[in-house]
Each structure stands twice: as structure tokens, then as C-alpha cells.
Amino acid sequence: MYHVFYILSAVGDKCTPHGGSFLGFPTWYKYLSGIETVNGQTSANVCLPKVVQLNDIWLIAAALLEILLRIAGLAAISFIIYGGFQYIASRGEPDKTSGALQTIINALVGLTIAIGATVLVTFIAGRFN
């Protein structure tokens, strides 16, 4: 019986804020905990992110860094596509072909670094949360 009252007393204290993401990017408050409040217009419970300690600032910075790394990954994918177009347009000329292949290789290395860094940031920020 004690566990039921403990669980019911915890309701409303903490929640996980969630919201729409733009093009699949995480929100700036992805790693923050939230506090449940009542919306004055609709009288519905709303979960808002809360920032109460210095650790929360680092969690916001980690979420922003993750957004930037995902943008870097998209840039790398666009360079892979650009290198593919260069390769097609080279028409067998050795200099243009090697330049296009170098663009593709550099973009793949950048994409690998961006994915690895995103995974690392997600892992570390998830541990602090």
C-alpha cells in the first residue's frame, strides 16, 4: 500500500518534456527533465523543461552540439552527392575523376566522424541525465 501512495505522490512532480522536432532534429531540451504545469487557456497539463542547476546548462549545450553534428552529417551527405555528380560529369578524364573520388572519400570520412561524434554526445549526455 505504501508503494501506491509513493507512486501517486510522484505524479505531477516530474515529467519528460516532448515536442515537435524540426526535420527530425532533436529539441534543445532533449536531455532535460521537466515539471508539469497547468496551461491557463486549455486547463490541460503541460510538461515544460526546467533549468535549475549548472548541469542543466551542459545538457542544453550537448543537445545543441548534437543538432550541429547532425547538420554536419547532412552537409557530408550533400558533398557525397556533389562528388557523384562530379564523377559523372568527368567523362573519364583522369584529373576530374580523381578529384571527384577524393571529394567522395573526404565526405565519407566527414560523415563517419559526424556519426561517431553524435553517438558519443548522445551517450555522454544520456549518462548525465
Side-chain angles (χ1 to χ4, degrees):
M1 188 71 171
Y2 171 76
H3 297 292
V4 172
F5 289 120
Y6 179 74
I7 291 172
L8 291 177
S9 68
V11 172
D13 291 342
K14 289 189 175 185
C15 59
T16 304
H18 61 322
S21 61
F22 180 70
L23 296 176
F25 289 108
T27 56
W28 64 269
Y29 51 83
K30 175 181 178 181
Y31 301 110
L32 293 177
S33 60
I35 188 162
E36 196 168 323
T37 60
V38 176
N39 188 353
Q41 295 174 349
T42 62
S43 298
N45 290 346
V46 178
C47 184
L48 298 174
K50 67 176 182 174
V51 179
V52 292
Q53 49 184 310
L54 185 61
N55 188 33
D56 294 338
I57 301 298
W58 292 112
L59 293 175
I60 293 171
L64 293 176
L65 181 62
E66 184 178 349
I67 292 169
L68 291 175
L69 288 170
R70 288 184 182 205
I71 291 171
L74 288 175
I77 290 171
S78 66
F79 273 105
I80 292 170
I81 294 169
Y82 173 70
F85 283 128
Q86 279 184 328
Y87 187 80
I88 292 170
S90 69
R91 297 184 191 171
E93 295 179 31
D95 292 338
K96 289 184 179 180
T97 303
S98 65
L101 288 176
Q102 193 62 38
T103 300
I104 293 171
I105 290 170
N106 290 340
L108 286 172
V109 168
L111 181 63
T112 304
I113 291 171
I115 290 172
T118 302
V119 168
L120 185 66
V121 167
T122 303
F123 176 75
I124 291 172
R127 294 291 175 189
F128 282 116
N129 190 5

